[in-house]
Amino acid sequence: MLQNFIIYIGSGTAVTVSVTLAALPMGIVLGLSFALLHIYGGKWLSRLMTVYSTLMRGVPPIVLLFILYFIIAGSINISPFWAGSIALGWVSSAYQMEIFRGALLSVGGGQMLAARAIGMSRWTAVRYVVLPQALRLAIPPWSNEVSIVLKDSSLVYALGVPEILRRAQQLSATTQQPFLAYGTAALIYFILVFTTNRLLDHLEQRTRLPAQL
Amino acid sequence: MDQPILKATGLSKKYGDNVVFHNIDIAVEQGDIIVIIGPSGTGKSTLLRCLNLLTKADSGKIWLDGTEITAPGHSEDEVRQHIGMVFQNFLLFNHLTALGNVMLGLTKVRHLPREQAREKALSELNRVGLADRAGHYPGQLSGGQQQRVAIARALAMDPRVMLFDEPTSALDPELIGEVLEVMRQLAMQKMTMLVVTHEMGFAREVANRIIFMEKGSIVEEGAPNELFLRPKFERTREFLWKITELYGHKKE
């Protein structure tokens, strides 16, 4: 019985991790691209990005998840898992865009100026001077977003994807032990978030630039 | 053959209604060391930035080695490779070591092979006396050292002319000397330079021409002795008097 319990919730954990691992890279790629367009894309793209970000962040993720799910599932034939993951990454892109935008802006215009002064094109300067510094600055707020995406992955439960929470609910119903089932789910989420944040803290330490002692 | 390295005619710039400078003519010949002096806010720094196209002038034309660089379709990035610039606040790339700072333009703009770029960068660091600091990050260097790395970074591109925008204004007094010393050596090596500075001692000693700018115009220009000892205009005299009072007579 205990063995079944572990296998059951373990497979849910694998789904949660997979959803997160699928959603996060998508959020990074979109979020970073949108942030770059916002800052370097000129007036109209910048406005467009502001509208995008404001709209996306002004609606609860679960509502967006449903809307995006039906848009995605309605236009292409993919599994709920992929539809849910893509929708989650899409929602996250707006938040990640703000994270990367903030980081890019805090690098400061002087670095771009200095890069242009030695003959770099704007794009070369972004790639070799601004981005390497911005990505370092983005790690702490991004770490926060990772834990949000991890926890928000429980929302794909509503789309029928058998992740931790859905598994826990089923277990609660069959075993009549809701505290054990949801308690285990909570513990697993906590361990996942805690470990990820520690790993990213470590990454931040390792990439930190040396300063005068 | 005797064309100026850098020449500008009728250069004007304004931000909104605020005229930064108006109708400036300037010609920098091979080996010239020109120092631009003048009160703050008279457009000296903006003028330098317009000359290497970091800021777009509203009107006027600029030539580099006889080629008009303000002509439509001319590559700004290409131009800036040949005009070195040193900023008041150093602006080193914070995520790179001193060596990395000097190498970046060589590898990413001039596309030199890494080894060759490294060698060249080391020799430029050596030129400013910082070969032993090659592995240090900007945060680990003093202001004077950072500015010397910034000079090496500009020199590495083998510029035709170097623009210095108040290179010592952000430095503690005891660090100014080492930067001026590097600039003096450049002058001895016949580097063509255009320097905005308040260091009158340096200007008198090194420059072959001084330009006094005020309120967006060139008031007076001439050889250092001429301009410092027999200024033609009352405004030049007043400014020089004020600045010597402020900075002392140490070079008298």
Side-chain angles (χ1 to χ4, degrees):
Chain A
M1 145 87 190
L2 184 67
Q3 203 188 355
N4 281 342
F5 186 93
I6 292 170
I7 290 172
Y8 207 62
I9 210 141
S11 73
T13 308
V15 173
T16 291
V17 171
S18 308
V19 169
T20 310
L21 286 181
L24 269 179
M26 184 173 156
I28 295 177
V29 171
L30 288 180
L32 188 56
S33 312
F34 291 165
L36 289 169
L37 288 179
H38 193 304
I39 297 177
Y40 301 109
K43 198 168 76 177
W44 290 107
L45 277 173
S46 175
R47 281 185 188 170
L48 189 69
M49 289 303 125
T50 307
V51 171
Y52 175 78
S53 157
T54 311
L55 285 179
M56 294 289 284
R57 291 181 305 133
V59 178
I62 184 81
V63 178
L64 281 174
L65 215 59
F66 276 122
I67 296 174
L68 294 176
Y69 175 77
F70 288 112
I71 293 175
I72 297 165
S75 47
I76 41 173
N77 185 21
I78 49 172
S79 64
F81 169 84
W82 280 109
S85 303
I86 291 171
L88 196 64
W90 200 335
V91 171
S92 176
S93 73
Y95 294 87
Q96 295 200 40
M97 166 184 153
E98 294 299 332
I99 290 170
F100 290 122
R101 192 170 77 90
L104 286 166
L105 287 176
S106 52
V107 169
Q111 294 286 312
M112 173 59 92
L113 195 67
R116 299 305 301 275
I118 53 171
M120 282 193 188
S121 68
R122 228 146 99 104
W123 170 238
T124 311
V126 167
R127 181 161 167 212
Y128 295 106
V129 175
V130 181
L131 262 186
Q133 298 181 57
L135 291 180
R136 281 182 171 87
L137 295 171
I139 296 174
W142 191 75
S143 166
N144 192 40
E145 175 63 15
V146 172
S147 54
I148 289 172
V149 171
L150 234 167
K151 288 180 286 179
D152 276 359
S153 72
S154 60
L155 299 176
V156 299
Y157 155 84
L159 309 176
V161 179
E163 43 67 73
I164 298 176
L165 185 60
R166 189 167 183 85
R167 293 297 198 190
Q169 194 207 25
Q170 288 162 345
L171 281 173
S172 160
T174 47
T175 61
Q176 299 296 316
Q177 302 238 31
F179 184 76
L180 179 67
Y182 291 121
T184 310
L187 184 67
I188 294 173
Y189 276 120
F190 178 77
I191 291 170
L192 288 176
V193 169
F194 184 77
T195 319
T196 323
N197 283 353
R198 293 317 294 264
L199 282 174
L200 286 167
D201 281 352
H202 185 67
L203 181 68
E204 196 222 335
Q205 301 280 342
R206 280 200 44 184
T207 55
R208 188 173 287 174
L209 296 169
Q212 204 142 32
L213 297 173
Chain B
M1 190 60 219
D2 268 320
Q3 69 192 4
I5 288 185
L6 193 62
K7 187 178 122 178
T9 54
L11 222 51
S12 300
K13 177 75 189 173
K14 56 182 175 183
Y15 289 116
D17 288 335
N18 179 24
V19 175
V20 185
F21 53 79
H22 182 68
N23 209 16
I24 299 276
D25 294 332
I26 195 167
V28 185
E29 310 281 345
Q30 171 81 49
D32 260 354
I33 294 159
I34 300 175
V35 168
I36 306 178
I37 59 173
S40 306
T42 40
K44 306 181 301 278
S45 298
T46 313
L47 176 63
L48 285 196
R49 287 186 189 191
C50 283
L51 286 176
N52 75 345
L53 309 180
L54 277 177
T55 300
K56 203 171 150 38
D58 296 328
S59 57
K61 288 180 174 181
I62 306 169
W63 290 265
L64 177 68
D65 284 318
T67 308
E68 195 199 329
I69 57 177
T70 37
H74 200 92
S75 161
E76 296 174 11
D77 299 337
E78 161 75 22
V79 166
R80 292 195 205 100
Q81 288 182 44
H82 305 295
I83 305 179
M85 182 148 200
V86 174
F87 300 91
Q88 183 177 349
N89 42 355
F90 332 134
L91 299 181
L92 288 185
F93 306 134
N94 293 315
H95 63 303
L96 297 174
T97 59
L99 183 68
N101 265 276
V102 184
M103 275 178 72
L104 196 67
L106 296 172
T107 52
K108 303 305 174 201
V109 179
R110 284 177 56 182
H111 304 289
L112 291 188
R114 252 195 114 62
E115 249 336 284
Q116 205 180 326
R118 195 188 142 81
E119 219 166 276
K120 166 102 175 131
L122 273 173
S123 92
E124 296 299 347
L125 281 176
N126 201 29
R127 199 165 164 192
V128 299
L130 285 173
D132 58 330
R133 293 284 186 278
H136 286 58
Y137 284 87
Q140 299 169 307
L141 298 170
S142 74
Q145 290 171 335
Q146 290 191 50
Q147 192 59 299
R148 283 149 69 196
V149 174
I151 294 173
R153 175 175 68 184
L155 288 175
M157 305 302 288
D158 295 322
R160 297 284 290 138
V161 49
M162 287 278 285
L163 311 178
F164 291 86
D165 184 9
E166 301 203 30
T168 57
S169 297
L171 292 173
D172 290 339
E174 75 266 28
L175 302 176
I176 291 177
E178 60 186 80
V179 172
L180 292 182
E181 186 49 41
V182 166
M183 291 168 66
R184 258 186 216 107
Q185 280 170 19
L186 285 182
M188 279 190 282
Q189 293 158 11
K190 299 288 170 220
M191 172 59 78
T192 309
M193 312 203 285
L194 188 55
V195 185
V196 170
T197 186
H198 294 297
E199 292 294 326
M200 294 301 145
F202 174 83
R204 282 188 81 153
E205 188 191 336
V206 179
N208 66 329
R209 199 144 57 94
I210 310 275
I211 294 177
F212 173 59
M213 256 181 95
E214 190 185 45
K215 292 182 186 142
S217 312
I218 293 178
V219 176
E220 182 168 356
E221 59 178 301
N225 278 337
E226 205 179 300
L227 196 122
F228 280 119
L229 301 177
R230 291 177 293 279
K232 290 193 202 79
F233 293 88
E234 185 54 30
R235 266 310 295 149
T236 318
R237 211 182 329 249
E238 258 172 49
F239 174 77
L240 288 171
W241 186 78
K242 260 189 209 150
I243 206 130
T244 14
E245 193 184 50
L246 200 63
Y247 288 84
H249 299 260
K250 57 187 178 201
K251 293 287 173 185
E252 288 297 315

